[in-house]
Amino acid sequence: MAPRIKPDPKPRRAKSRGKVGYMISAVAEMYDIHPQTLRLYERERLLIPSRTEGNTRFYTEEDLERLEFILKLARDLGVNLAGIEIILNMRDRMSEMERQMQAFVEFTRRQWFARGAGPAEASANALVRVPPPFLIRTRR
């Protein structure tokens, strides 16, 4: 179920960050939830909004994407808060692992080109696929 977004929500800027974002009342209205629900998600460390200089909660686009995911889990799939926490932690860990893998691939690619490995050298050190052994069945 898509969030019920009211037309023309007014974004506000965080004084300390200079990014466009939303205050807690605007987010609660956009997603048809009570502001206390957002505070609960913050207490449970599911959603951590940034703060303005005046200590007001400030929700960025990334926070809203995470909130949409939380609401989908809770509303559509019936996942409780403990389950949501586990899913979000696994999702964050997978994202970090993906980032690390991309960095490793990029490092390997740079090393490969820096070494100047040509086709002859590459094939000399390549792994070769070995077919499975040929078996003959005998009758007993």
Side-chain angles (χ1 to χ4, degrees), residues 39-58:
R39 292 183 186 103
L40 171 68
Y41 291 162
E42 185 177 3
R43 266 195 315 275
E44 295 293 325
R45 313 286 292 166
L46 300 176
L47 183 65
I48 315 282
S50 56
R51 299 283 183 145
T52 63
E53 291 174 0
N55 207 27
T56 303
R57 289 172 182 86
F58 179 74

Side-chain angles (χ1 to χ4, degrees), residues 9 21 36 40 49 69 72 84 91-92 99 107 114 120-122 128:
Q36 286 295 342
L40 171 68
F69 186 70
K72 181 177 180 173
I84 292 172
R91 187 176 181 219
D92 292 342
R99 188 195 63 73
F107 171 78
E121 184 181 341
V128 179

Side-chain angles (χ1 to χ4, degrees), residues 5-23:
I5 298 178
K6 305 229 176 189
D8 194 33
K10 299 194 181 199
R12 298 190 179 133
R13 294 189 178 273
K15 295 175 187 172
S16 63
R17 303 207 193 287
K19 292 189 202 174
V20 174
Y22 303 90
M23 306 307 264

Side-chain angles (χ1 to χ4, degrees), residues 104-116:
F104 175 72
V105 167
E106 186 57 35
F107 171 78
T108 306
R109 185 176 291 131
R110 282 193 311 266
Q111 292 295 318
W112 177 262
F113 288 122
R115 223 174 87 195

Side-chain angles (χ1 to χ4, degrees), residues 63-127:
D63 294 329
L64 295 183
E65 288 173 12
R66 189 170 174 102
L67 175 61
E68 287 175 8
F69 186 70
I70 291 169
L71 292 176
K72 181 177 180 173
L73 289 173
R75 290 177 176 170
D76 299 345
L77 302 176
V79 180
N80 64 15
L81 292 180
I84 292 172
E85 179 182 14
I86 291 169
I87 292 168
L88 289 174
N89 287 339
M90 287 183 355
R91 187 176 181 219
D92 292 342
R93 288 174 54 193
M94 286 175 52
S95 295
E96 177 60 22
M97 287 172 34
E98 182 179 340
R99 188 195 63 73
Q100 290 175 356
M101 286 298 296
Q102 289 291 17
F104 175 72
V105 167
E106 186 57 35
F107 171 78
T108 306
R109 185 176 291 131
R110 282 193 311 266
Q111 292 295 318
W112 177 262
F113 288 122
R115 223 174 87 195
E121 184 181 341
S123 63
N125 295 325
L127 295 176

